[in-house]
Amino acid sequence: MSKLSPFPRPAAPEAASSLNLSHRLRRNRKAEWSRRLVRENVLTTNDLIWPLFVVEGESGRHPVASMPGVERLTIGEVVKEAERAAALDIPALALFPYTDPALRDPTGSESLNSRNLVNRAVREIKRAVPEIGVITDVALDPYTSHGHDGVMDGDRILNDETVALLARQAVLQAEAGSDVIAPSDMMDGRVGAIRAALDAAGFQDVQIMAYAAKYASAFYGPFRDAIGTSATLIGDKRTYQMDPANTHEAMREVALDLEEGADMIMVKPGMPYLDIVQRVKETFAVPTFAYQVSGEYAMIQGAANNGWIDGERAMMESLLAFKRAGADGVLTYFAPRVAEQLKKARA
């Protein structure tokens, strides 16, 4: 004999009556064709910039342990990837060097070598794939023995002395064939100095994409592994990179870089700073880019490799978020995979 439940049995549901709704937003979501018609933001290959790490050597690919699927590439392999990027309709590459530790010194003098790793890579890319855009990083941290973006006096970064070196570095990159100079150092006044130096050297058409709002972020760790500065960095970069707590300061940084001659600006990191991307775009209405940095990539890829998330969907969704916030393009290590997916979707 069953015991009587102390809880009353729920009544059978009554037949649902129609709601008197004038607006049913689900109507536009009812089918794929309809969702495509009303879609507000679309990701295309035109939105992609592919960062590549360059290393010395005759040939070879060297995995970056903290960035699954990303490798340091010798110049020959970089050229192959440039050809692949062009075939996938990716507009531009961004190059970052892993400099031989023996060539690093306190002033980053290897940055002023016209035959350094990046400059040779640019020349080879432009020889093989002249139609693809090449963006080069202007900063001293890949070349300094202390891992900072500037010249140091004790534990202090010297702003003006650093800017003088950055301007010379930018001209050498332009001479090698770089299409876009991207200063990532966050020194005051460097955009104006670089613009003046480029113009004086006859490179009026070389663009500047300024890392205008670059934050002192915890999301850069894998990148520092990739360029070899994790082990060398002394202290931190909070005296020149921005405080993650600040938004109004980012607007001042962007305004100054534009006033000094920047053609495009960048926010870095990406997804944790989508509010900055949106505010910059709405305020200035200039070409605005974001960098989906190494830590963002590693989190998505690491979780996908462990089966915790659908990596392909998370990849596409994360990049669409940049477009929704107003970014005109994204630097992302996912670029070739995204381009391949978009190509399949068009087929």
Side-chain angles (χ1 to χ4, degrees):
M1 182 175 177
S2 62
K3 294 182 180 180
L4 294 176
S5 169
F7 303 104
R9 186 173 181 178
E14 299 179 4
S17 58
S18 295
L19 299 173
N20 184 21
L21 300 179
S22 298
H23 304 286
R24 291 180 180 268
L25 297 186
R26 288 184 57 195
R27 281 194 285 258
N28 286 340
R29 305 176 197 145
K30 67 182 180 182
E32 175 63 14
W33 64 262
S34 180
R35 293 190 293 271
R36 288 168 55 201
L37 284 176
V38 301
R39 189 162 290 150
E40 298 173 28
N41 296 283
V42 178
L43 180 69
T44 75
T45 53
N46 296 335
D47 303 314
L48 303 174
I49 298 170
W50 185 8
L52 293 173
F53 298 111
V54 193
V55 69
E56 290 284 6
E58 293 300 318
S59 63
R61 308 173 75 98
H62 310 275
V64 179
S66 55
M67 299 178 70
V70 173
E71 300 164 308
R72 299 187 194 100
L73 307 171
T74 57
I75 291 177
E77 295 298 319
V78 165
V79 170
K80 290 178 184 177
E81 295 294 50
E83 292 169 342
R84 179 186 174 199
L88 289 170
D89 205 27
I90 294 172
L93 308 173
L95 301 183
F96 300 92
Y98 177 89
T99 304
D100 185 339
L103 297 175
R104 303 182 193 198
D105 61 28
T107 62
S109 61
E110 179 65 9
S111 67
L112 303 182
N113 178 0
S114 63
R115 293 284 302 163
N116 69 22
L117 183 58
V118 161
N119 292 333
R120 283 184 282 120
V122 171
R123 290 187 178 94
E124 292 304 315
I125 290 170
K126 281 301 183 181
R127 186 175 293 115
V129 198
E131 69 273 20
I132 202 160
V134 176
I135 301 169
T136 48
D137 175 57
V138 170
L140 298 185
D141 57 323
Y143 306 99
T144 56
S145 52
H146 46 68
H148 278 284
D149 298 56
V151 179
M152 298 186 75
D153 179 12
D155 60 357
R156 187 167 66 96
I157 305 297
L158 301 179
N159 189 93
D160 296 11
E161 291 85 346
T162 297
V163 168
L165 296 178
L166 298 175
R168 292 170 60 191
Q169 182 185 10
V171 170
L172 290 173
Q173 292 179 354
E175 288 175 349
S178 176
D179 300 292
V180 182
I181 300 300
S184 63
D185 56 286
M186 290 300 287
M187 297 296 119
D188 293 331
R190 89 276 203 215
V191 171
I194 290 170
R195 183 73 273 162
L198 290 172
D199 290 353
F203 295 110
Q204 292 88 348
D205 291 335
V206 171
Q207 297 152 273
I208 295 177
M209 177 189 285
Y211 287 64
K214 181 178 179 179
Y215 286 83
S217 172
F219 288 90
Y220 301 149
F223 176 91
R224 290 173 184 164
D225 290 343
I227 66 169
T229 61
S230 291
T232 60
L233 181 61
I234 299 170
D236 58 52
K237 302 189 177 188
R238 287 181 291 180
T239 67
Y240 49 100
Q241 294 179 356
M242 285 183 56
D243 187 334
N246 295 353
T247 61
H248 300 310
E249 184 185 15
M251 299 302 105
R252 294 183 66 192
E253 289 281 7
V254 171
L256 286 169
D257 283 359
L258 291 171
E259 184 181 322
E260 291 176 21
D263 302 287
M264 302 171 276
I265 64 92
M266 187 199 302
V267 175
K268 182 180 180 182
M271 287 192 71
Y273 296 87
L274 290 181
D275 60 318
I276 307 299
V277 174
Q278 183 174 36
R279 190 174 173 192
V280 166
K281 187 64 176 180
E282 290 179 349
T283 301
F284 298 101
V286 297
T288 302
F289 294 80
Y291 199 141
Q292 186 179 48
V293 299
S294 59
E296 299 172 63
Y297 170 88
M299 288 192 301
I300 293 172
Q301 193 58 43
N305 288 351
N306 279 287
W308 297 335
I309 61 173
D310 182 329
E312 297 301 299
R313 287 187 60 192
M315 172 183 74
M316 301 300 283
E317 184 179 338
S318 69
L319 293 175
L320 190 58
F322 289 104
K323 295 294 295 180
R324 194 179 65 244
D328 296 290
V330 186
L331 288 83
T332 176
Y333 304 98
F334 288 121
R337 286 168 54 188
V338 172
E340 286 168 354
Q341 280 207 19
L342 293 173
K343 189 174 183 178
K344 288 177 184 176
R346 293 195 303 268

